[in-house]
Amino acid sequence: MDAYELITRNAAEVVTKEEIEALADDPDGKRAYVGYEPSGVLHIGHMLTANKLIDLQEAGFEVTVLLADVHAYLNDKGSFEDIRRTAERMRDQFIAYGLDEGRTQFVLGSDFQLEDDYTLDLHALELETTLARAERAMAEIKSGDAVKVSQAVYPLMQALDIPYLGVDLAVGGMEQRKVHMLARDVLPSIDRKPPTSLHTPLIADLASGVGKMSSSTGVTISMEDATSEIETKVEKAYCPPTADPEPDDEGRERENPVLQIFEYHVFPRFDRVVVERPEEYGGDLEYESYPELEADLESGELHPADAKPALASYLDRLIAPGREQLHNQ
Ligand code: IYR
């Protein structure tokens, strides 16, 4: 796979294609980052962007993980002390998950976001941005219903992180895209260049296939889950024999989360996927790429009842090192 393909595989969106092509021409020493609000333990959402960081490391990039303690605080995630403690624990879980320890720089937001220059640049961005724009950027990030002043400061700080961390590429889930678009528009006003970004897809709710999977509203898979919990959650997952299900009774779009997890979590990390099946049902199936598995599910060759235990077993393998790490913490 060439560098451009590796950088962009499984991305829902890149901004812009030309800028990513330029990075892919000479990726060595380029730097990419993802920021995470420290909270709880790693879950499948963190793991999706981490998979992209692993792709980028393989393509030659240096990686920064921002443990965004100040952002979590602004988003009402708890006391600053608690958030800091959670951040320390997350670092070890990312390494256990597979980020290259020697080539991943972990930075706490509070290490640079409270400096004078940063604060003054932040105020300059505040002058350039309407409250309505900041609020729109936060629509899929903010917690709670009420709009607080902290939520208007939040996306501007996220924009400013990009030049302050000196990164060439900002990575995030699709829910981050409006913040990155705001950053593109507003950073030139303080003589910084508009950032290049890459957004990973959102995985649908496991049980219904509707909306997006979220630890606050539905079932998610986390590093805390025991093998048996993963098996049960996947067993109950929505998995019609198609990658393109019909909308539900209320007309809401649906996805097949089982296939999405195979595509975005399993195939990027395993060269070969084996679905075990008793001899009388045709014996084991082997796949070297996601489209082959999708085609077999759609044709009926692969039954959801066989695909699900295989998915649970690969997910278990992906989270086992992190689970171990948690037990040792
Ligand atoms: N908004 C992210 C957290 C975050 C991301 C980046 I990239 C930053 O520079 C700062 C914060 C979230 O929703 O978790």
Side-chain angles (χ1 to χ4, degrees), residues 33-37 66 68 71 141 154 158 161 171 176 180:
Y33 97 121
V34 180
Y36 301 96
E37 290 183 21
L66 172 67
H71 281 88
I141 298 174
Y154 180 124
Q158 187 166 337
D161 290 344
V171 176
Q176 309 294 324
H180 290 149

Side-chain angles (χ1 to χ4, degrees), residues 36-43 46 72 77 83 86-87 90 93 215:
Y36 301 96
E37 290 183 21
S39 73
V41 296
L42 290 208
H43 56 63
H46 299 109
K77 298 290 172 68
I83 292 167
T86 308
M90 279 181 100
Q93 290 170 49
S215 45

Side-chain angles (χ1 to χ4, degrees), residues 250-264:
E250 290 162 45
R252 293 175 302 187
E253 291 277 313
R254 274 200 290 206
E255 304 280 345
N256 182 330
V258 170
L259 283 181
Q260 288 182 315
I261 298 172
F262 268 118
E263 184 173 15
Y264 303 132

